[in-house]
Amino acid sequence: MRKTIVCVVGTRPEAIKMAPVILAIHNDGNFDVKVLATGQHADMLDSVLNFFNITPDTNLHVMKNCQGLEYITSSVLTLTSDYLKKVNPAAVLVHGDTTTTFAAALAAFYLKIPVGHVEAGLRSFTLSQPFPEELNRVLVDKFAKWAFAPTVLSKQNLIEEKFPVSNIVVTGNTVIDALLCAVQRIKKPEIDVFNRLSDDKPFVLLTAHRRESWGKPLEHICQAVAFLLENYSDLNFLVPMHKNPIVREVFYKYFTNEERVVLCEPLEYPDFVWAMKNSLFIMSDSGGVQEEVTAIKKPLLILRSVTERPEAIENGTGILTGTDEDKIIYFSRKLLDDKIYYDSVVAKCALMPFGDGTASQKIVEVLKESLCD
Ligand code: UD1
Ligand code: UDP
């Protein structure tokens, strides 16, 4: 009988990065793959799963408005444990660093079910940034059986923490697998919001949602955008807003009546890929976007003061600005005014530090080697 592997997803980025893994296990045919959606995100999770044609075996629907970390942790831990007791899988795969990731992995660990950590070994070495994600990924790597490290650097981080070397595999990041799949299907989205961006005027794509940026830091980002709007009369901004009301409140406060800022709902994944490809440059505090721009080759101002993805700066188009208004303005102006600088940022991206789109297949091979007779 085929063994069962449970893949857990809770939020938008987990779904994007776990989708190719789920599909690769399914297509390989050696395992019965079940998808457990915790529903930490509601709308934003469903949209991604629909795009990849993935139907969860179960959705725990834990999301509440403005949910606290203790609520997500305790509900995901308890409900995932109940689910795993029924399904009794041979392994559980979790992705990355969200509260779903940590709580679901812990549920598996308590039941002595081996855990595979996809995107293991990323470290900012600062527990407060990103918060609480840095703690989540460190904790999962304390008890995971397999570490699927996206880069050599993440493998090195794990070795330094004494993770058993034989169980670390450098796979590349599965986001590149997802991106290559989305790129084949992108087109200019036929939704009203894009009609407001005229073809001849450049736009900057902006996303921000991190917990440590709530409040003042997010206001500083908006103030930098306001300055740029005032000084560049042709410039537009496209801002797909995270669903979190705490984040939206700030964007609405600054830009509700600003014609050249398009505030919109989160974009479907292929629409967002179109927006990245067609933007002049990107400003974001997202983790996944730092990886994606290395393949899309667009400059990215990273709206964080530290990153667990230094590869995005060394071999990618990332520029670390934090949420400092002056720094955001300074680097935006360089990108807008200095073509040689802009081209030099893009040219740094000759290498693909996050892999070539074969990460999911490498993960399947490890699982087969470990679990199939
Ligand atoms: C979560 C992850 C973060 C990840 C991000 C991706 C944690 C602690 N944080 O942060 O690592 O980068 O997802 O986007 O795991 N909401 C909706 N509909 C949705 C999704 C969210 O209304 O589809 C609202 C709800 O009010 C919810 C709030 O957003 O309570 C915050 O969601 P939550 O998952 O707690 O935090 P994120 O900031 O999304
Ligand atoms: N993304 C999307 N629609 C949007 C904004 C982002 O599909 O409107 C994708 C983006 O391409 C990336 C992922 O969502 O793959 C990043 O998610 P997010 O920024 O929410 O989380 P993080 O990566 O910071 O954990």
Side-chain angles (χ1 to χ4, degrees), residues 3-6 32 34 83-92 108 111-114:
K3 290 180 177 161
T4 299
I5 295 185
V6 167
D32 180 19
K34 289 196 189 307
Y83 173 81
L84 294 177
K85 282 177 197 159
K86 274 192 280 174
V87 172
N88 192 25
V92 170
L111 293 169
K112 300 194 165 45
I113 301 168

Side-chain angles (χ1 to χ4, degrees), residues 13-287:
E14 287 164 83
I16 291 171
K17 292 167 163 186
M18 202 63 123
V21 179
I22 293 164
L23 296 175
I25 301 174
H26 175 78
N27 292 339
D28 174 75
N30 276 287
F31 298 102
D32 180 19
V33 58
K34 289 196 189 307
V35 178
L36 173 65
T38 65
Q40 176 178 336
H41 283 176
D43 338 54
M44 282 163 51
L45 180 68
D46 291 349
S47 138
V48 177
L49 294 175
N50 286 342
F51 171 68
F52 286 99
N53 263 324
I54 292 171
T55 309
D57 183 44
T58 296
N59 190 327
L60 304 175
H61 293 295
V62 302
M63 196 190 90
K64 288 201 302 199
N65 202 23
C66 301
Q67 56 206 359
L69 296 173
E70 72 301 330
Y71 162 74
I72 314 172
T73 307
S74 53
S75 53
V76 170
L77 177 60
T78 309
L79 296 172
T80 301
S81 181
D82 293 345
Y83 173 81
L84 294 177
K85 282 177 197 159
K86 274 192 280 174
V87 172
N88 192 25
V92 170
L93 299 189
V94 296
H95 171 274
D97 55 19
T98 71
T99 297
T100 282
T101 311
F102 166 59
L106 189 61
F109 178 73
Y110 284 161
L111 293 169
K112 300 194 165 45
I113 301 168
V115 172
H117 190 195
V118 180
E119 201 182 83
L122 275 63
R123 297 291 180 265
S124 72
F125 303 103
T126 312
L127 282 179
S128 58
Q129 292 182 57
F131 176 87
E133 290 83 358
E134 178 72 1
L135 180 66
N136 288 338
R137 54 187 166 227
V138 168
L139 291 175
V140 174
D141 288 335
K142 288 288 165 217
F143 58 79
K145 171 162 182 183
W146 304 279
F148 301 113
T151 65
V152 173
L153 182 64
S154 41
K155 176 178 180 178
Q156 202 50 46
N157 291 337
L158 291 160
I159 291 173
E160 275 163 29
E161 290 171 15
K162 310 252 178 302
F163 196 101
V165 185
S166 56
N167 282 359
I168 308 172
V169 183
V170 177
T171 57
N173 197 304
T174 59
V175 79
I176 304 296
D177 309 19
L179 184 67
L180 295 182
C181 173
V183 159
Q184 291 164 16
R185 288 158 65 185
I186 56 168
K187 58 177 176 33
K188 183 169 179 180
E190 287 159 8
I191 51 175
D192 278 355
V193 85
F194 284 96
N195 299 333
R196 282 179 55 193
L197 297 172
S198 61
D199 283 343
D200 54 340
K201 289 194 180 156
F203 71 90
V204 176
L205 177 64
L206 165 63
T207 75
H209 72 277
R210 305 233 76 84
R211 269 181 159 71
E212 64 272 18
S213 296
W214 291 357
K216 283 275 169 247
L218 196 49
E219 300 227 7
H220 293 148
I221 296 169
C222 292
Q223 281 154 7
V225 171
F227 175 93
L228 293 167
L229 287 166
E230 220 174 284
N231 287 273
Y232 294 84
S233 57
D234 262 3
L235 197 60
N236 294 269
F237 279 80
L238 174 61
V239 188
M241 291 183 295
H242 191 287
K243 281 279 185 189
N244 192 336
I246 299 168
V247 170
R248 291 186 160 210
E249 190 186 3
V250 180
F251 284 130
Y252 284 135
K253 176 175 148 194
Y254 279 84
F255 302 125
T256 297
N257 296 317
E258 178 49 72
E259 261 210 359
R260 285 184 288 131
V261 179
V262 177
L263 297 179
C264 65
E265 289 303 311
L267 297 175
E268 303 280 315
Y269 187 49
D271 295 356
F272 190 76
V273 174
W274 181 93
M276 284 193 285
K277 276 179 99 72
N278 287 278
S279 66
L280 186 62
F281 64 92
I282 303 167
M283 296 181 180
S284 180
D285 62 8
S286 163

